[in-house]
Amino acid sequence: MERRKVIGIGAGLAVLPVWWALRQVVNGASGANGTDGTNGDWHTDTAPLERAFPLLGPLTDAKWVSSRDNDRGIPSPELVISGFVRLAPGRLAELTAAHAFVSEGPADDFTSWFEKPLKGEGPESPHWIRSHDLDRDGSGYSTHLWFDRRSDTVRFWALNPYG
């Protein structure tokens, strides 16, 4: 019994630094404490998104949330960010010229508990297009990007966007 306790405590202590580091990436970089880019419901800073989605280039406006917002106290190695971001003028034209796009919208309307602040936000009557070339799938992360041509807005959902 004593050995199991030691192993359990050791495993918990091994996970704690990873959980803390991920929390710092989201909370520290995005100002989830109510300053530096958050209005209490969602984040408005673009710097973390520019790091997560470098191909999108400089970003001009954002509304996004993360699964670390209002943390429920359960450490998890997975981080999800979701929201809207506006591209710099002309950037969507560059992307559509360089990649194949199809008419495709998101399957859901912000169904996760942390995404609730985003319901009703975003462009009015969007016509979403998507390029599967721009979505990343690989070891430990996945990204889905939908683009609205009329507003230069990108709706995104990303699992472990920082690798």
Side-chain angles (χ1 to χ4, degrees), residues 83-162:
F84 299 101
V85 67
R86 182 153 305 145
L87 301 175
R91 184 63 183 140
L92 184 53
E94 293 172 9
L95 291 171
T96 56
H99 301 277
F101 279 79
V102 296
S103 181
E104 182 181 331
D108 61 42
D109 188 29
F110 302 114
T111 57
S112 294
W113 63 269
F114 69 93
E115 294 177 306
K116 292 195 187 320
L118 296 173
K119 284 191 178 210
E121 298 298 323
E124 194 172 311
S125 302
H127 293 247
W128 297 115
I129 59 174
R130 183 174 182 191
S131 173
H132 295 279
D133 295 341
L134 297 177
D135 290 347
R136 300 179 302 175
D137 293 311
S139 59
Y141 61 87
S142 177
T143 299
H144 303 285
L145 304 170
W146 298 273
F147 300 80
D148 179 37
R149 282 187 199 259
R150 292 184 300 168
S151 65
D152 287 334
T153 298
V154 180
R155 178 176 167 184
F156 62 88
W157 182 96
L159 171 66
N160 295 331
Y162 303 104

Side-chain angles (χ1 to χ4, degrees), residues 45-60 85 162:
D45 52 337
T46 59
L49 302 178
E50 289 173 349
R51 285 193 308 274
F53 313 120
L55 188 61
L56 299 181
L59 305 172
T60 62
V85 67
Y162 303 104

Side-chain angles (χ1 to χ4, degrees), residues 69-81:
D69 294 343
N70 300 316
D71 193 346
R72 294 182 172 194
I74 302 172
S76 170
E78 294 185 341
L79 166 67
V80 176
I81 60 174

